[in-house]
Amino acid sequence: MRELARPLRLAPGARVAVVAPSGPVPEERLQAGLDVLRAWDLDPVVAPHVLDRHGTFDYLAGTDADRAADLQAAWCDPSGDAVLCARGGYGVQRMTDLLDWEAMRAAGPKVFVGFSDITALHEAFATRLGLVTLHGPMAAGTDFLKNARAQEHLRATLFAPETVRVIASGGRPLVPGRARGVTLGGCLCLLAAELGTAHARPRARGGLLCLEDVGEETYRLDRYLTQLLRAGWLDGVGGVLLGSWHACEPYAGLRPMLADRLGGLGVPVVEDFGFGHCEGALTVPFGVTAELDADAATLTLDRPALR
């Protein structure tokens, strides 16, 4: 696994597009998120269909074609410096194949932020565009709106990435040790669902794999991990970082399954690393070379996430 190209950091006055590739966005949360971005001296621009709701499938923010058009137009806009997702939910996999990846590659690099269902786009941006992306809070997300740690860590990553080269979570080792590799990952169910698709990496070899999920039964998380194991996708992975498991079984019950499925990999595994669907979620860049110290629960980036 190779390190990916790093986009430019943001500066005051940067123009950032807000898109909704997945589920519908509550207008009041969107407006609150825009206020936060403006307070950061950014110039947020809302894509045309962000507040849409699909006429038949009310779990989608408008039609697949419109969501794809919003993302592509935002990415290809030469005046834009970043694309921020408004929220997750479900829907990215329905629209990813509608994007013109050649045109997006020709448009050049810019900052991309999101998590949850956006995992599928993190994979696609890595394989199709070769770009570092940020697994972090979204513009209309509750954590982004109400949690100072989540806001400040994302803001530092965007504007002063050299100040957050060491990401210290306060977590603990599930399997002790140190490992080096290129960061990747996201929502476990999405990584399993992406197996065999045109936009997914064929394996996580040489990577530091970040995993989290939300609202899943333990047996289903077991199934996703087992699928990745059986497919050989985890062969050669360098280390694993476990984030949040919000609305899953209490962690004391979930932990033995994670130890059973991941302990046999023979690599360091750190738990409770503080990213994903949790209060105060940390921003973790994907596509950068880093060192994981499971005992100290730190991830140290070789270089800042953004140039």
Side-chain angles (χ1 to χ4, degrees), residues 3 14 24 44 46 62 73 106 117 153 162 172 194 219 222 248 259 267 272 278-279:
E3 188 171 61
V46 179
D117 193 54
H153 198 258
E162 67 281 355
R172 56 194 178 276
E194 281 288 287
Y219 80 91
D222 185 322
C248 299
V267 302
D272 195 23
C278 60
E279 186 175 348

Side-chain angles (χ1 to χ4, degrees), residues 149 153 164-171 273 282 296-299:
R149 183 175 95 149
H153 198 258
V164 286
R165 277 185 58 191
V166 178
I167 303 175
S169 69
F273 204 80
L282 299 168
T298 58
L299 182 70

Side-chain angles (χ1 to χ4, degrees), residues 130-151:
L131 287 180
V132 167
T133 55
L134 302 179
H135 184 278
M138 294 178 282
T142 303
D143 201 45
F144 176 74
L145 300 178
K146 297 183 177 181
N147 189 279
R149 183 175 95 149
Q151 284 189 14

Side-chain angles (χ1 to χ4, degrees), residues 17-20 45-51 69-71 74:
V18 178
V19 299
V45 178
V46 179
H49 300 285
V50 166
L51 292 175
D70 275 4
L71 175 57

Side-chain angles (χ1 to χ4, degrees), residues 167-277:
I167 303 175
S169 69
R172 56 194 178 276
L174 183 65
V175 179
R178 291 174 177 253
R180 287 182 56 78
V182 175
T183 54
L184 77 158
C187 199
L188 173 56
C189 67
L190 267 298
L191 292 171
E194 281 288 287
L195 279 176
T197 67
H199 307 297
R201 275 174 272 220
R203 63 190 57 83
R205 180 179 298 277
L208 296 178
L209 178 61
C210 302
L211 296 175
E212 62 94 30
D213 218 315
V214 60
E216 293 281 4
E217 297 285 345
T218 300
Y219 80 91
R220 294 176 66 88
L221 296 170
D222 185 322
R223 177 190 294 159
Y224 303 142
L225 286 171
T226 300
Q227 183 177 2
L228 294 177
L229 287 163
R230 294 182 66 212
W233 197 80
L234 294 175
D235 292 354
V237 70
V240 180
L241 298 86
L242 300 176
S244 65
W245 307 98
H246 179 68
C248 299
E249 179 182 0
Y251 190 70
L254 180 58
R255 190 175 193 265
M257 183 279 292
L258 294 170
D260 175 80
R261 295 287 76 195
L262 298 172
L265 294 172
V267 302
V269 180
V270 63
E271 56 190 343
D272 195 23
F273 204 80
F275 62 88
H277 295 81

